[in-house]
Amino acid sequence: MFLINCPYCGERDQSEFSCGGEAHIERPKQPTELSDDQWAEYLFMRKNVKGIQFERWNHIHGCRKWFNVARDTSNDKIHAVYKMGERPPIK
Amino acid sequence: MKNKYSIFSLIKNAFSGHENWQRTWSDATPKKEYDAIIIGGGGHGLATAYYLAKKHKMNNIAVVEKGWIGGGNTGRNTTIIRSNYLWDASAGLYDHALKIWEGLSQELNYNVMFSQRGVMNLAHNLQDVRDLKRRTHANRLNGIDAVWLNTEEVKKFCPIINTSPNIRYPVLGGTLQKRAGTARHDAVAWGYARGADQMGVDIIQNCEVKGIKRIGDKIEGIETTKGFIKTNKIGVVAAGHSSVIANMVGMRLPLESKPLQALVSEPVKPIIDTVVMSNAVHAYVSQSDKGELVIGAGTDSYISYTQKGSHNVVEETLRAILELYPIFSRMKMLRQWGGIVDICPDASPIISKTQIKGLYFNCGWGTGGFKATPGSGDLFAHTIANDEPHKLNSSFNLNRFVSGDLVDEHGAAAVAH
Amino acid sequence: MLNFNSPIKEEKKYNDLKIIEVEPIIKINLRSNKREFSTKIGKILSILPPNEANTSSGNEKFNLLWLSPDEWLIYSNDNKMTLNDQKNLEDKLFNEISKLNQGAVTNVSDHWIMINLNGNKVYDLLSKSCPYNFNDFKNKKGSVAQTIVNHVDVILHNYEDNNLNLFVRRSFSEDLWLWLNDSARLI
Amino acid sequence: MSKNLRINKNKFIDQTARILFKFNGKKLYGHKGDTLASALLANNIHLVGRSFKYHRPRGIMTCGSEEPNAIVQIGNDPALTDPNVRATEIELYDGLEAFSQNCWPSVNFDIGGINNFLSPLLPAGFYYKTFMWPASFWEKYEFFIRHSAGLGKSPNKPDLDLYDHQYAHCDVLVIGGGISGILSAKLSAEKGLNTILVDDKNNLGGSTLYQDDNAFKINNENSNIWLNKQIEDLKKLPNLTIKKRTSVAAFHAYNYLLARENLTDHLSLHERKNKIRQRLWKIRAKKVVIATGAIERPLIFSNNDRPGIILSSSIKKYIDYYGVKTGENVSLFTNNDSAYEAAISLNKSGVKVKVIIDIRENPNSVLTEKIEKAGIKILKGYTVIDTNGYKRIKSFDVKKLSKDGGSVVGEKITYTCDCLGISGGWTPMVHLFTQSGGKLKFRNSDNVFIPDENKIPSEQISVGSSNGDFELDDVVNNTIKSIMVFLKLDKSNYEQLNIECSKEKQKRNIWLLPSDKPMSKTKPFLDFQNDSTAKDVKLALREGFKSIEHVKRYTTTGMGTDQGKLSNMHALGIIADTTGTNMGELGTTTFRPPYTPLTFGAIVGRNVGEFFDHTRRTAIHNWHVENKAEFENVGQWKRPWYFPKNGETMNQAVQRESKAARESAGILDASTLGKIDLQGEDASEFLNRVYTNAWSKLAIGKCRYGLMLNEDGMVYDDGVTTRLGENHYIMTTTTGGAANVLTKLEDYLQTEWPDLNVYLTSVTDQYSTMSICGPNSKKIIKKIIPNLDLSDDNFPHMSFKNSKIDNVNCRIMRISFTGEHSYEINVQSNFALNVWEKCMEAGKEFNITPYGTETMHLLRAEKGFIITGQDTDGTLTPSDLQMDWIIGKKKYDFIGKRSLYRSDTIREDRKQFIGLLTDDPKEVLEEGAQLVESLEKPIEMLGHVTSSYFSPNLNKSIALAVVKSGKKLKGKKLIVPMENKNINVTITDTVFYDKENKRLNA
């Protein structure tokens, strides 16, 4: 069980959170202008990174806030936690 | 021709102290060039190579594996084999595999211990009943041997299940496929490796792919830890690592790689003689020939390549096990492990060409790839050899995510009322 | 007059532990990310909503718990407040805040059930199924934690030493009550 | 056989109290403090079980959790029996009953022993090569394989014991209560750190506890005396928790560890009543100290598995700790000094040690000198080549080793014995370290894998012999040194220790000892439980299984209940030797949790039976119970399914309820529907984006039905949303979808549309909802709320009114899921029961009939309303549902909109929602049944039945279904092929009842 540092509530057990997958996939502002291919890219295609992945977590059993986590998927180490709308603090 | 395995060869070799058995497969060093290369030496990859050589006479091919063959999900799964899928496309695919399983030990001359002890799926609420009945009807009309069992029949088929109406989610019935069962996972990889090796396929272990070379939209070869190998056709069967390979050519796939855990108990004398799966009280269990209870847990919600999952998934799984089999409370977990499963949004696989000529993907098997091993290999070999999918895998193309023709095997998406 | 029926209506005593449902308690959920919000609340309740995470503020009448950067829970110390008084408070807050687009005001008096746990074994009890680290919480009066107990969402408020209020959704409350009591006998 | 081998001298065993126990039915006695193993040995019983494959007689080999052989079935109560319990771990209690496993009819005469003679036919992996003919026979062969495999027996009645969980958070967790663990815990707690020390035994101190020889001294005291003082000091430290009988099972990432505390397994059965059997500690530690010690290695030579062959350190423990002689004619066989410690203990206890076979050419230390002085013969540079005896070792053969150790030379010497102690050196217990993600390095000097200090994954440290320090001086000095750095201590009380330790560190390692026979004639066991031998490993290598994981899987080495604690290193060594690889490069197999097997019960804790999953109850639940409702599980909710009266079947009850609802009045508890309160100036815009239809123009006080899609265009949820004020709405969701919908909406608000000013608050539990429908519903509402104007003008369909019932505020919605004139009362939950009772009272004269989910489903099906999750399955678009009207065509965007226009989602031949009538109106279709046009094979399935009922109001069977191109097929005949018959049906409109919606305003 990870120990996740919620940017609002502090360090909590993973069981208080849910994971929302890859971060920084912005919903297209004008979906109707997109081709089927482009829409599928947004909808389904994922980097599925092995290494540092930027992903979304929700402190669902706490403050209910979504935030971003930079986690190395090859060893599950969390390198950074940052709020929605912020840019990743690491590369 | 290698030793043929039989009781007679076993006796013969016993006299010579088993000194004269030949290698099951040879460790090859890579040639400069192959007609096709399969990336990934799991069951699916080795089966693909086997059928490429056997049915399509492509013998100058290689399987490259970054570790040891069968070391990924092939050697980590709970070995359930069944074909009672809902949609026609899935039923076609998995039943094709099941039919091959039925003669596989003989075909490979390697006992993969396919044991048709039946697989039962339980229903615990009214929507489960509707969904499973729907599946049973569809199976029957597709020629798949599924039958609906009421609670008493469930109890009769597997007496240790707690079918009391007073449990939190009582068993309301179930669907049974008798032709379904289990097999010995390692043997599948080793048997296909032996078969492929006999036909000249190079099996190259400890060879990690570092890059894919292409010129324009054409494949030129692969960069590996054992050097560059030239080829015009690459079949990627890398399971959890499919996206890692795809990223090498700048492709993204509709996949997420997540931890899937399983565990076994200490071995005991026979106590459960079939495979029982439950979705609502989420757990599945069978007993291996060795006597261990083999229990499958769920996936975690996050991506991870660590082959480790969260403890709470194991706890939840065993909670479900004890709800259905309270007699197992004193049984002990002997070993617990994780695999990396690549999951598609519609819980169906991809066996497909790509936009890059000569590059093929076989992935997205999620939590249930083992059962499809022979069929997957056969159909992927067909796709690679002909540069066209077989009728049975035509639905499992990459384009379905663009056009919207998903093969959604999640069943009922939401609990509602 | 309609009868009030809270789900538990019981008090249980164990060694070093007392568990009791306290109802009716008015509870109002506040949401806002507007600047004037704090002042308005201060005016109406004479308490400022805490900005610091996992803390609360309060006076003899009300407690104001931090739930998230834009969410707070008010609950009263008094379970004798009349329905009319409750309605008046809710309306006042609603009219001053929600109506003026300064945030949201939602009556959640019956959404949450408040259970008071009191005694030396309180934290041993909760730690049977709560992953939260109480080491700091238990030493700091007024601490607030939103976490899970036996897989159910709860809000915990450190009211006094070894005396806390636990809020659980009404539909889960009987179940959690059974679990708390079953656990208490095993301590 | 009935000899007593107890020595009268011991402080750890309470010899004043005799304990009666039974082994295989025979009454025996032991003492408090014994394990089953020590008590058996005291009774001169070595033969405990039979091996897995060859059914060879096997005895007690160790004294701990690494025991591969002495595993027994405890107890014979079908609810409480425990299979595969290590005799070396279970503490003796009054009335303990143990049975040998895997043998029939008895451990002394076991039919399966025939396998031993067939063993030439049963090499590693033999089953892959045979049992294939005829093909259909595998399951018959398998039946026999299954029945001869397995070890103990599973209980076959539900467990009666209790299991518990407890979370703990500490600064430092110390695992292992041996000397290095004790020093670590002491240093930590003295520094003021909140410390937990766990040890799997009932006594702290590890092996130093009984090391009373003057060859081992600390500050001029024998090491055991010095350590005892430390333990006494330790117990006084305030911020230290000591957990005995507690074994760490798993070390997960983020220093999350699981430890099982055994609370009752050592008590007699009557003392266990109402106590928790095992508690699983879930420990989150800031820092972890691993002090788990090391395990002695066996030596690999032919027939090294006979009962009476015991690890030398175990012989020492049996004598010094348990006061039990493991034999009276003992010899020792070793490659290091450990066996000499055992020899000293044996000698002190008056057991004659006949000979020590040492493979080293020149062992030369204080210990060896001591032994030689005592007149014990040492054969230096010799090896044991074989042993004799069947159920107990009787003698062994010895030969001189060649210089290179690769063969034997000279004459064979045979020694008789009844016990042979063996020692192959030590293996650090690095399991937990590697479980946590740590990497090992190989130390060539003494052939051990130890933690690589550069590859430590978290705040943790390994100390003592688990870190590869095996001698007392190294253990103590290095532990102190490294703990001081690890915990950032400036000074400690241990800086000036004077340690005397006289063992020689020289070892000679030969993984597989040579024999004078050809390999094929020998049986050098590696994995004692699984019967895999060095021959099997070599066979696997010949057959091309080179990776250690392949060898392990092919030979099953290391896959027994001891998980290879004794066998793995030798298997690796033999692979390395055979293939000419360096062991460091070969690596190890993965160590997987748990460290020792963990009961399912402990893992699950108390979430069994009534606590398996939560039960959510509505505020009116008790009324339903009192009125004999049958319940349906909907998610975690209990919902009334139907209310049978006077022994009605479900069908009868539902027919009655459905008729009553249409003819007079029905009442439904709809409180489980999700309810979300929306406030904020952008609430309308938000609704526009999350629902398919338009919301801006909905007037205050009005209600509207909404359909929510997934981003992939498929129907996800639905419900009615009411505009309470300019910027205030209340949304309802499906029961099962409530939590997910709220999460999804929050997600969009926080991440995609943070600019929208909207706040969402769940009020599902705040309000209870009761729906009253039927032509008399208006009259009932009028009785309850006399001052509310219920005229259609003032209060039309799809609108709401704030009102009061007595002193309590409520919201009345005029919405209908049945097609009848109906009202929904929403009231604060704590008053709901009373409001419900009022409705029942007011409705009495109209025969108001409570109904459950089944009748609700039937009534809505008569009107063709969908139930998401039943009529939809995540693959249907609004258009598929014939609900094109609900798509706001003019809206620029909403969740899922873009997906509706993909090439495959606009196809006309998709499955579409339709109605069905059976040709025989009495025939009710089965939900889930498939629809076809023709029975010609291959059968093409066109769709399936989603909902089906016998409608009492129409007096015929009705059904809803999805069918390919269904929209265009009205009137078409289809077939529902069942197992035993084919049912003819006709496609119809989805609305069966009151197509003109006249009843809404009736």
Side-chain angles (χ1 to χ4, degrees), chain B residues 42-351:
Chain B
H44 290 237
L46 293 163
T48 305
Y50 175 86
Y51 292 111
L52 273 173
K54 186 171 180 200
K55 289 179 135 177
H56 307 284
K57 305 298 167 215
M58 290 179 68
N59 301 82
N60 181 34
I61 61 173
V63 177
V64 295
E65 162 59 45
K66 90 177 155 162
W68 36 283
I69 62 166
N73 295 341
T74 302
R76 293 167 182 274
N77 73 92
T78 51
T79 77
I80 297 170
I81 293 163
R82 61 184 179 92
S83 67
N84 55 349
Y85 277 72
L86 173 64
W87 301 107
D88 295 351
S90 312
L93 173 65
Y94 290 101
D95 209 50
H96 176 63
L98 183 51
K99 283 179 187 138
I100 305 178
W101 276 113
E102 286 173 323
L104 192 60
S105 292
Q106 288 68 33
E107 170 166 359
L108 295 178
N109 178 231
Y110 204 90
N111 191 352
V112 299
M113 304 183 198
F114 177 46
S115 170
Q116 293 180 295
R117 53 187 60 256
V119 171
M120 188 159 66
N121 295 73
L122 301 179
H124 297 273
N125 58 50
L126 299 176
Q127 192 55 40
D128 271 1
V129 172
R130 287 181 201 108
D131 290 341
L132 288 184
K133 281 193 171 170
R134 175 183 174 196
R135 217 165 86 184
T136 310
H137 285 298
N139 289 158
R140 181 169 46 82
L141 297 175
N142 270 323
I144 292 166
D145 63 316
V147 290
W148 173 258
L149 305 183
N150 63 28
T151 309
E152 291 71 39
E153 290 163 329
V154 165
K155 182 81 180 169
K156 207 172 150 201
F157 190 71
C158 182
I160 63 167
I161 296 178
N162 184 3
T163 52
S164 158
N166 301 321
I167 66 172
R168 182 67 185 84
Y169 300 105
V171 175
L172 303 181
T175 170
L176 170 66
Q177 185 183 19
K178 283 201 167 169
R179 281 164 65 228
T182 57
R184 171 83 194 127
H185 52 16
D186 292 329
V188 178
W190 301 340
Y192 272 119
R194 179 166 168 265
D197 180 66
Q198 284 180 2
M199 292 182 288
V201 174
D202 277 357
I203 294 165
I204 307 165
Q205 298 186 95
N206 297 308
C207 181
E208 186 176 352
V209 175
K210 296 302 222 182
I212 291 176
K213 194 177 166 199
R214 61 165 166 156
I215 295 178
D217 267 347
K218 204 167 155 270
I219 292 297
E220 292 289 313
I222 57 173
E223 295 288 353
T224 76
T225 47
K226 294 190 174 181
F228 178 75
I229 315 172
K230 200 164 183 283
T231 190
N232 298 127
K233 284 195 173 194
I234 298 175
V236 184
V237 205
H241 281 78
S242 299
S243 295
V244 175
I245 304 287
N247 287 340
M248 291 176 185
V249 288
M251 254 174 85
R252 295 198 302 171
L253 293 170
L255 293 177
E256 288 189 309
S257 294
K258 295 179 173 175
L260 174 68
Q261 298 178 82
L263 61 101
V264 294
S265 74
E266 292 184 340
V268 286
K269 293 289 172 195
I271 182 84
I272 175 167
D273 203 30
T274 184
V275 184
V276 185
M277 312 179 71
S278 165
N279 207 21
V281 179
H282 191 84
Y284 37 105
V285 62
S286 64
Q287 188 174 17
S288 71
D289 286 349
K290 208 179 155 190
E292 297 158 332
L293 298 176
V294 182
I295 293 170
T299 53
D300 273 293
S301 62
Y302 53 84
I303 291 170
S304 180
Y305 288 85
T306 57
Q307 297 191 331
K308 285 175 188 164
S310 308
H311 170 71
N312 61 346
V313 174
V314 169
E315 184 177 322
E316 279 159 25
T317 301
L318 287 175
R319 194 192 309 158
I321 289 287
L322 294 195
E323 175 74 351
L324 291 176
Y325 316 90
I327 66 166
F328 287 154
S329 166
R330 302 178 86 86
M331 291 290 289
K332 283 171 265 172
M333 176 167 88
L334 177 61
R335 201 164 58 235
Q336 171 218 326
W337 66 91
I340 313 161
V341 296
D342 44 323
I343 303 174
C344 274
D346 58 355
S348 284
I350 295 164
I351 312 173

Side-chain angles (χ1 to χ4, degrees), chain D residues 136-305:
Chain D
S136 58
F137 264 48
W138 164 243
E139 271 130 32
K140 293 189 175 62
Y141 298 127
E142 194 188 27
F143 178 84
F144 289 102
I145 292 173
R146 285 173 84 85
H147 282 261
S148 66
L151 289 168
K153 294 190 188 90
S154 163
N156 59 25
K157 289 265 162 58
D159 195 358
L160 305 172
D161 268 323
L162 280 170
Y163 301 82
D164 195 22
H165 285 175
Q166 193 86 36
Y167 282 91
H169 303 262
C170 63
D171 294 322
V172 179
L173 171 69
V174 180
I175 309 166
I179 189 163
S180 52
I182 284 170
L183 294 176
S184 305
K186 202 153 166 262
L187 288 168
S188 165
E190 280 170 351
K191 156 109 176 170
L193 297 168
N194 169 7
T195 307
I196 300 176
L197 170 65
V198 300
D199 189 76
D200 55 356
K201 303 284 190 312
N202 57 354
N203 252 330
L204 292 180
S207 59
T208 313
L209 188 61
Y210 50 91
Q211 180 54 282
D212 67 349
D213 194 76
N214 58 17
F216 302 91
K217 285 191 165 179
I218 301 175
N219 285 355
N220 298 318
E221 288 176 304
N222 282 6
S223 58
N224 60 329
I225 295 174
W226 184 85
L227 179 65
N228 255 316
K229 288 184 182 161
Q230 308 307 312
I231 295 175
E232 288 314 309
D233 290 350
L234 184 75
K235 288 178 180 162
K236 293 173 200 148
L237 292 171
N239 41 351
L240 176 75
T241 310
I242 299 171
K243 286 278 153 210
K244 292 189 217 167
R245 295 190 176 96
T246 302
S247 166
V248 173
F251 189 160
H252 294 298
Y254 295 83
N255 280 358
Y256 183 73
L257 298 97
L258 303 173
R260 180 213 51 231
E261 183 181 15
N262 264 329
L263 295 160
T264 63
D265 277 1
H266 60 290
L267 301 177
S268 66
L269 297 178
H270 68 89
E271 289 172 302
R272 297 181 187 187
K273 291 254 158 66
N274 300 320
K275 293 198 176 103
I276 292 163
R277 181 185 179 212
Q278 295 177 337
R279 176 174 286 132
L280 188 72
W281 289 84
K282 299 176 169 181
I283 305 170
R284 184 79 77 173
K286 291 205 178 95
K287 290 173 181 247
V288 177
V289 178
I290 300 178
T292 45
I295 287 178
E296 194 169 21
R297 295 176 185 169
L299 289 164
I300 311 304
F301 54 99
S302 188
N303 291 311
N304 57 347
D305 65 325

Side-chain angles (χ1 to χ4, degrees), chain D residues 65 122 152 207 490 552 567 633 649 704 908:
Chain D
S65 65
L122 314 174
S207 59
D490 314 327
K552 169 181 146 188
S567 58
N633 286 312
T649 62
R704 181 168 288 171
E908 305 235 312

Side-chain angles (χ1 to χ4, degrees), chain D residues 49-62:
Chain D
R50 293 280 178 155
S51 66
F52 196 81
K53 191 165 155 190
Y54 304 135
H55 290 250
R56 283 168 67 101
R58 290 284 165 78
I60 295 156
M61 223 184 146
T62 74

Side-chain angles (χ1 to χ4, degrees), chain C residues 1 3 5 31 33-34 98 101 105 108-111 124 127-128 150 152 170-171 175 182-183, chain D residues 164 166-167 169 606-607 614-617 677 679 727 757 759-760 765-766 807 828-830 834:
Chain C
M1 289 281 278
N3 295 329
N5 282 292
R31 301 286 308 268
N33 48 24
K34 298 277 166 79
S98 187
N101 291 326
V105 174
V108 287
S109 299
D110 292 10
H111 186 74
D124 292 337
S127 291
K128 281 183 180 291
N150 199 32
V152 178
R170 194 188 197 287
S171 57
D175 224 42
D182 191 63
S183 300
Chain D
D164 195 22
Q166 193 86 36
Y167 282 91
H169 303 262
R606 280 177 39 252
N607 289 128
H614 300 292
T615 300
R616 297 181 72 180
R617 298 169 178 89
D677 182 86
Q679 297 178 39
N727 297 325
N757 214 341
Y759 302 98
L760 310 178
D765 295 37
Q766 168 72 9
N807 52 333
Q828 264 183 263
S829 288
N830 286 332
N834 205 199

Side-chain angles (χ1 to χ4, degrees), chain D residues 911-928:
Chain D
K911 286 187 181 165
Q912 289 145 359
F913 190 58
I914 47 97
L916 286 178
L917 287 174
T918 47
D919 288 6
D920 172 1
K922 294 267 173 279
E923 179 88 66
V924 181
L925 297 173
E926 183 166 288
E927 287 167 352

